[in-house]
């Protein structure tokens, strides 16, 4: 992929400040010496403006997604995919984050988070930044991706572009498939303004009597149960798509016979999608959640998107009737709702315009030879660390659960389910296990955002099959990814475990990068037994042997280990902290990392999304580097490394990859994960697994790897290679490594 940094490969010092993020002005403690260790003990408190704003940081993350769509080196249909991902991400940001800020502002609740930017100012800056990103997004589609698709015989066309035979065919399609489900809704004194459902496409139509009279307004909802793009010219080479709203607009005379259509414009509303259940009041969580889900579609609007062509008087009517703030209105050039580009991506069978296909490899330890060997026998020989999607989910985690369900020696299976697929082989295996008489306990998190309906369905299906189903703990979401298998082996009981960073979801396991540890370690088995007793019963246990568990233990456990690295440096030993997470927002952990940097600890942070820490600031964070890696797979794993006095003498120093202390698990470094969720990290003790994790961290932070890097003022810059020596993409390197190992 191309990059935007200078050709010499260095990252320039950005100008002070950035749009939205306030510049860093704090003086902070004194700088470190040339060897990376403190020149003297800190004498001043940490500066008050040491945190970046989390909402603007999230928008920066989505801007990095957009940068992949804008990159000419990204395969063309992958560019369309990233445009779709950007659009869907921004929808969810408004439905959750912007909706939450508006709700707190209306309720007069205080600002949350270390940045302490007033809510009203945050909303203004979010609106400004989002508008700039939407303009870039639309320009990328209209000016670059759409013309390049057309050059490859993949066209998005308008009704006026179609020849007469195609129009005649589509006239029939409209009459038979679209017209019967359309309902034009008038707006006048006898017809109130209709409810506009969340994320639906709508046509705002103005009509008048041909004999004269005032303009009348009507709304036509674009049906969401037909494809967004209608295939045209099916017998011609290439593929062409007509937006269904164009087809409807071309036939409005059939919806308003006898009237003159003056104008029509597309618009779209995004609503608050948060679900609030009073778990202390509601006795039946499933019924309460179903009631709230029915109300979700009536949440207050938080964003109005309109076609750039919309006239002022139509826009004024929409803003007035929807009771919108003007800053929440976005004029969008080109098509609205580019998340629909997923349809184009999926329907176009053009491998030359997509990333090269790959087949996940079976982990070498799990390859079945001429004499098949069970997963249990393999785990008795030592732990197995699987790295998805490079390692197959089907031949590792899924096989583990399926073999447990079929094995007559297995007595019980206990598992958490946060998200899974619509045709989940994991759920099928659990049902088979219950039918075979095994004790099956499944914690289904019915409050998993946007998967609530599916998870309620899974919960009821598992209950009908005879599984013991638990819905989680009052006041907490259960986000940990854990499975425990109890097996009778001779005169003893042995426990086998899986603890991962990703969901038990076979489909996303091919798209999301995640780690999972399979183990028969007795201490981990005892820990998971204790954890499931917490989740299913009234146990108050908070201390574990090889686990750190939120909400009690992860923040304190990580801070304790960061402080231990500081002490190593004070005793003259090297210090190292390396984190790979999706988000770093928690103020206590950020401050601990600042203290570590001031003490001379080397801190490497690989963060896909939000980061409120300011790296590389003189007198505060000179020993901290922050990188973000994006690509064809969603970087989703969470891994933590502490040098333990054995590694970290200098950036780039040669060290043993397996040296230090390693943890993996489900928790990001955010308040919701550390305070309001059940999360689990497990210590990785296998030397082979530690070496794999350490090698990944070292490679990801290496000078030869393509990445985005964060500066202290909040600016992200894309790294560049030298002429003739392009940088390596981490995911491509890992794909090559796994493919080579499988040969």
């Amino acid at each position: 992929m191309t990059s935007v940094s200078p050709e010499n490969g260095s990252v320039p010092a950005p100008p002070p400040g950035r749009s939205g993020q306030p510049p860093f002005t704090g003086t902070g403690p004194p700088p470190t010496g040339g060897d990376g260790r403190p020149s003297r003990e800190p004498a001043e408190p940490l500066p008050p403006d040491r945190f970046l704003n989390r909402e603007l940081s999230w928008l920066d993350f989505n801007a990095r997604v957009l940068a992949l769509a804008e990159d000419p080196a990204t395969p063309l249909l992958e560019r369309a995919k990233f445009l779709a991902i950007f659009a869907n991400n921004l929808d969810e940001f408004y439905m959750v984050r912007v909706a939450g800020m508006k709700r707190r502002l209306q309720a007069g609740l205080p600002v949350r988070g270390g940045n302490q930017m007033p809510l009203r100012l945050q909303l203004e800056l979010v609106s400004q930044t989002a508008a700039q990103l939407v303009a870039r997004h639309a320009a990328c589609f209209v000016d670059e991706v759409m013309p390049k698709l057309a050059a490859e015989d993949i066209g998005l066309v308008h009704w006026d572009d179609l020849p007469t035979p195609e129009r005649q065919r589509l006239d029939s399609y409209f009459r038979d498939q679209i017209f019967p489900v359309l309902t034009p809704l008038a707006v006048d004194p006898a017809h109130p303004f209709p409810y506009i459902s969340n994320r639906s496409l709508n046509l705002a139509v103005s009509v008048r009597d041909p004999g004269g009279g005032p303009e009348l307004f009507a709304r036509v909802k674009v049906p969401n149960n037909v494809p967004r793009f209608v295939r045209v010219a099916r017998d011609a080479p290439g593929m062409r798509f007509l937006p269904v709203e164009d087809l409807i607009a071309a036939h409005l005379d059939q919806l308003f016979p006898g009237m003159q259509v003056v104008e029509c414009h597309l618009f779209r509303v995004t609503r608050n999608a948060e679900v609030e259940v009073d778990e202390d009041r509601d006795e039946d969580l499933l019924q309460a959640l179903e009631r709230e889900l029915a109300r979700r579609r009536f949440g207050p609007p938080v964003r109005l998107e309109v076609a750039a062509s919309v006239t002022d008087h139509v826009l004024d009517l929409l803003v007035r009737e929807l009771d919108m703030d003007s800053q929440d209105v976005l004029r969008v050039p080109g098509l609205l709702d580019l998340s629909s580009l997923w349809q184009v991506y999926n329907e176009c069978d053009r491998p030359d315009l997509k990333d090269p296909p790959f087949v996940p490899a079976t982990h070498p330890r799990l390859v079945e030879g001429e004499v098949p060997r069970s997963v249990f026998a393999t785990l008795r020989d030592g732990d197995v660390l699987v790295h998805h999607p490079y390692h197959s989910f089907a031949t590792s985690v899924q096989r583990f659960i399926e073999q447990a369900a079929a094995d007559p020696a297995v007595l019980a299976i206990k598992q958490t389910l946060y998200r899974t697929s619509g045709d989940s082989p994991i759920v099928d295996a659990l049902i088979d296990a219950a039918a075979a008489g095994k004790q099956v306990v499944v914690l289904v998190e019915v409050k998993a955002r946007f998967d609530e309906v599916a998870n309620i369905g899974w919960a009821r299906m598992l209950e009908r099959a005879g599984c013991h189903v638990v819905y989680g703990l009052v006041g907490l979401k259960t986000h940990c990814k854990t499975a425990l298998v109890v097996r009778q082996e001779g005169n003893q009981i042995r426990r086998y475990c899986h603890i991962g960073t990703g969901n038990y979801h076979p489909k996303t396991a091919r798209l999301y990068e995640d780690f999972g540890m399979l183990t028969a370690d007795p201490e981990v088995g005892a820990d998971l037994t204790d954890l499931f007793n917490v989740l299913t019963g009234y146990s108050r246990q908070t201390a574990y042997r090889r686990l750190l568990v939120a909400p009690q233990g992860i923040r304190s456990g990580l801070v304790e280990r960061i402080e231990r690295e500081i002490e190593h440096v004070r005793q003259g030993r090297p210090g190292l902290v390396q984190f790979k997470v999706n988000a770093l927002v928690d103020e206590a952990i950020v401050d601990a990392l600042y203290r570590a940097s001031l003490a001379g600890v080397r801190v490497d942070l690989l963060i896909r999304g939000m980061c409120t820490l300011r790296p590389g600031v003189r007198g505060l964070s000179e020993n901290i580097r922050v990188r973000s890696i994006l690509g064809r797979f969603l970087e989703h794993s969470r891994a933590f490394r502490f040098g333990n006095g054995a590694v970290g003498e200098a950036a780039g120093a040669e060290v043993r990859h397996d040296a230090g202390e390693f943890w993996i698990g489900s928790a990001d470094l955010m308040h919701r994960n550390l305070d309001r969720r059940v999360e689990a990290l497990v210590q990785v003790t296998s030397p082979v697994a530690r070496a794999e994790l350490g090698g990944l961290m070292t490679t990801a932070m290496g000078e030869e790897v393509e990445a985005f890097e964060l500066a202290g003022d909040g600016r992200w810059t894309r790294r560049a290679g030298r002429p003739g020596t392009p940088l390596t993409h981490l995911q491509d390197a890992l794909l090559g490594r796994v493919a080579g190992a499988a040969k």
Side-chain angles (χ1 to χ4, degrees):
M1 297 181 182
T2 59
S3 52
V4 296
S5 296
E7 292 184 346
N8 63 9
S10 63
V11 179
R18 73 179 287 281
S19 176
Q21 296 284 11
F24 179 81
T25 58
T27 54
T32 58
D35 60 356
R37 296 183 181 169
S39 53
R40 60 184 175 87
E41 287 296 314
E44 301 176 23
L46 297 173
D49 56 350
R50 62 193 181 275
F51 300 106
L52 296 169
N53 181 266
R54 65 164 285 168
E55 317 303 344
L56 297 173
S57 182
W58 186 94
L59 288 171
D60 285 339
F61 154 67
N62 216 25
R64 298 196 292 280
V65 174
L66 180 56
L68 300 184
E70 294 170 328
D71 188 344
T74 303
L76 185 55
L77 282 171
E78 302 296 336
R79 296 179 71 180
K81 180 190 75 175
F82 283 121
L83 289 173
I85 293 171
F86 172 95
N88 192 69
N89 285 350
L90 197 60
D91 282 353
E92 293 193 5
F93 176 72
Y94 269 88
M95 287 190 292
V96 178
R97 296 303 309 171
V98 174
M101 287 191 289
K102 284 180 171 291
R103 188 171 62 249
R104 292 199 300 275
L105 182 64
Q106 292 167 357
L109 297 175
V111 176
R112 296 190 301 186
N115 179 253
Q116 294 298 307
M117 184 186 295
L119 278 172
R120 195 175 301 279
L121 177 58
Q122 287 190 59
L123 286 167
E124 291 174 0
L125 292 174
V126 162
S127 177
Q128 294 169 12
T129 306
Q132 295 166 4
L133 290 175
V134 166
R136 275 177 56 189
H137 184 237
C140 179
F141 174 67
V142 173
D143 299 337
E144 295 210 19
V145 173
M146 191 163 67
K148 290 182 184 298
L149 285 172
E152 295 287 348
D153 288 330
I154 303 171
L156 270 71
V157 299
H158 295 289
W159 179 260
D160 294 340
D161 302 328
L162 298 177
T164 299
E166 278 305 313
R167 290 193 188 187
Q168 292 173 344
R169 187 183 70 81
L170 290 173
D171 284 339
S172 299
Y173 175 77
F174 174 82
R175 183 177 60 252
D176 297 338
Q177 302 294 326
I178 305 296
F179 180 79
V181 299
L182 297 178
T183 304
L185 296 176
V187 176
D188 58 32
H191 300 86
F193 191 85
Y195 175 79
I196 309 298
S197 54
N198 186 33
R199 295 201 285 181
S200 63
L201 288 171
N202 304 269
L203 288 172
V205 184
S206 292
V207 299
R208 69 157 57 99
D209 191 305
E215 285 190 14
L216 305 172
F217 178 84
R219 171 260 195 158
V220 178
K221 179 180 179 179
V222 177
N224 57 9
N225 54 357
V226 299
R228 169 71 187 283
F229 297 113
V230 182
R231 286 280 303 276
V232 298
R234 290 177 177 270
D235 56 348
M239 301 181 72
R240 289 192 295 163
F241 298 89
L242 174 73
V244 70
E245 63 268 22
D246 262 29
L247 181 61
I248 296 170
H251 293 82
L252 287 175
D253 58 325
Q254 297 182 34
L255 291 172
F256 303 97
M259 301 293 286
Q260 175 190 355
V261 176
V262 179
E263 58 182 319
C264 76
H265 306 281
L266 199 65
F267 72 96
R268 184 171 182 262
V269 172
T270 309
R271 294 183 176 274
N272 183 337
E274 281 291 82
V275 174
E276 296 182 5
V277 176
D278 187 345
E279 297 178 58
D280 293 322
R281 182 199 67 193
D282 291 300
E283 295 182 1
D284 190 317
L285 179 59
L286 255 62
Q287 289 183 5
L289 190 58
E290 287 177 319
R291 182 176 64 245
E292 291 303 310
L293 288 171
R295 294 176 183 171
R296 172 190 271 173
R297 57 189 294 266
F298 299 105
V302 293
R303 178 181 60 167
L304 170 63
E305 297 170 277
V306 295
S309 61
V310 69
T311 56
D312 289 343
H313 74 277
V314 171
L315 180 57
D316 289 344
L317 183 147
L318 292 173
V319 170
R320 181 176 67 253
E321 293 291 348
L322 291 166
D323 193 22
M324 301 291 300
D325 292 334
S326 59
Q327 71 177 23
D328 297 322
V329 178
L330 287 173
R331 286 181 178 263
V332 181
L335 288 177
L336 270 65
D337 187 20
L338 289 185
S339 65
S340 302
L341 288 176
W342 273 111
Q343 180 190 343
V344 176
Y345 180 88
N346 290 328
E347 292 188 12
C348 288
D349 185 18
R350 291 289 302 273
D352 55 315
L353 302 180
K354 298 182 179 181
D355 286 324
F358 83 102
V359 177
T362 297
H363 190 285
R365 291 271 315 283
L366 298 174
V367 172
E368 294 184 335
E370 294 182 5
V371 179
R373 193 166 188 247
S374 73
V375 175
F376 308 116
T378 299
L379 296 183
R380 286 196 292 271
D381 293 339
D383 300 348
V384 173
L385 182 74
V386 287
H387 193 187
H388 310 301
Y390 313 104
H391 291 139
S392 168
F393 181 87
T395 59
S396 57
V397 180
Q398 181 178 321
R399 182 183 292 171
F400 171 62
I401 301 299
E402 289 174 338
Q403 287 189 359
D407 188 340
V410 169
L411 305 178
I413 303 173
K414 303 181 182 184
Q415 185 163 0
T416 60
L417 285 179
Y418 192 76
R419 304 185 200 276
T420 190
S421 57
D423 52 349
S424 174
I426 298 292
V427 172
D428 291 343
L430 295 173
I431 290 173
D432 290 344
K438 304 181 194 309
Q439 293 294 312
V440 180
V441 178
V442 189
L443 192 145
V444 180
E445 182 45 78
V446 294
K447 294 169 288 183
R449 183 181 290 143
F450 303 126
D451 276 299
E452 299 96 340
V453 174
N455 285 5
I456 288 173
W458 288 128
R460 290 194 162 132
M461 181 185 296
L462 289 162
E463 282 182 327
R464 287 195 298 269
C467 301
H468 302 292
V469 179
V470 182
Y471 307 134
L473 299 177
V474 173
L476 298 172
K477 282 186 180 180
T478 303
H479 189 248
C480 55
K481 326 297 183 182
T482 57
L484 173 66
V485 172
V486 181
R487 193 169 187 267
Q488 181 78 50
E489 297 181 0
N491 294 324
Q492 66 172 336
I493 295 290
R494 192 187 294 268
R495 290 172 284 202
Y496 298 87
C497 311
H498 172 265
I499 300 177
T501 69
N503 296 303
Y504 294 102
H505 196 307
K507 292 181 180 178
T508 60
R510 292 180 61 92
L511 302 172
Y512 291 10
E513 178 271 343
D514 274 302
F515 285 112
M517 190 178 78
L518 293 158
T519 181
D521 184 281
E523 289 191 332
V524 177
D527 278 346
L528 276 194
T529 299
D530 291 340
L531 177 57
F532 274 104
N533 287 342
V534 170
L535 296 175
T536 63
Y538 289 114
S539 170
R540 301 279 183 168
Q541 178 146 345
T542 59
Y544 299 85
R545 305 156 189 83
R546 289 262 305 281
L547 296 184
L548 294 175
V549 177
Q552 293 86 8
I554 292 183
R555 180 188 287 110
S556 59
L558 294 179
V559 170
E560 175 186 336
R561 285 160 177 79
I562 295 170
E563 298 289 351
R564 189 177 62 196
E565 294 302 306
I566 294 173
E567 187 59 30
H568 282 308
V569 172
R570 287 174 178 159
Q571 298 297 325
R573 295 183 293 272
L576 174 70
V577 173
Q578 292 180 319
F579 290 171
K580 181 182 185 299
V581 292
N582 295 300
L584 172 59
V585 172
D586 187 75
E587 291 85 7
I589 291 180
V590 170
D591 279 350
L593 294 172
Y594 281 143
R595 293 193 299 270
S597 175
L598 288 165
V601 176
R602 170 183 155 199
V603 179
D604 293 337
L605 303 174
L606 193 62
I607 300 173
R608 186 189 88 223
M610 292 181 293
C611 177
T612 60
L613 179 148
R614 298 179 183 268
V617 175
R618 179 174 171 78
L620 179 67
S621 55
E622 289 161 289
N623 293 314
I624 302 178
R625 296 185 299 164
V626 177
R627 280 191 179 174
S628 178
I629 292 178
L630 304 178
R632 66 186 292 184
F633 307 129
L634 181 80
E635 292 287 327
H636 190 250
S637 66
R638 296 91 167 181
F640 307 85
R641 182 188 193 184
F642 303 93
N644 266 356
V647 288
E649 292 176 340
E654 291 293 327
V655 296
R656 283 175 42 220
H657 290 326
D658 65 343
E661 180 180 312
F662 293 85
W663 298 75
I664 64 168
S666 59
D668 283 310
L669 304 181
M670 304 171 67
H671 296 285
R672 72 180 189 190
N673 299 85
L674 304 182
D675 296 325
R676 302 191 298 277
R677 289 184 174 185
V678 179
E679 306 274 12
L681 305 183
V682 62
Q683 186 177 2
V684 179
T685 58
S686 160
V688 173
R690 294 204 316 265
E692 182 175 347
L693 291 170
L696 173 71
M697 296 284 199
T698 301
T699 301
M701 299 304 295
E703 289 303 313
E704 72 284 358
V705 170
E706 179 186 335
F708 295 87
E709 292 195 333
L710 179 62
D713 66 350
R715 291 182 186 271
W716 288 89
T717 307
R718 199 167 182 180
R719 303 185 71 245
R722 294 180 175 85
T725 56
L727 296 175
T728 300
H729 197 282
L730 178 67
Q731 295 179 355
D732 291 340
L734 292 172
L735 278 172
R737 187 180 306 170
V738 171
K743 291 180 180 179

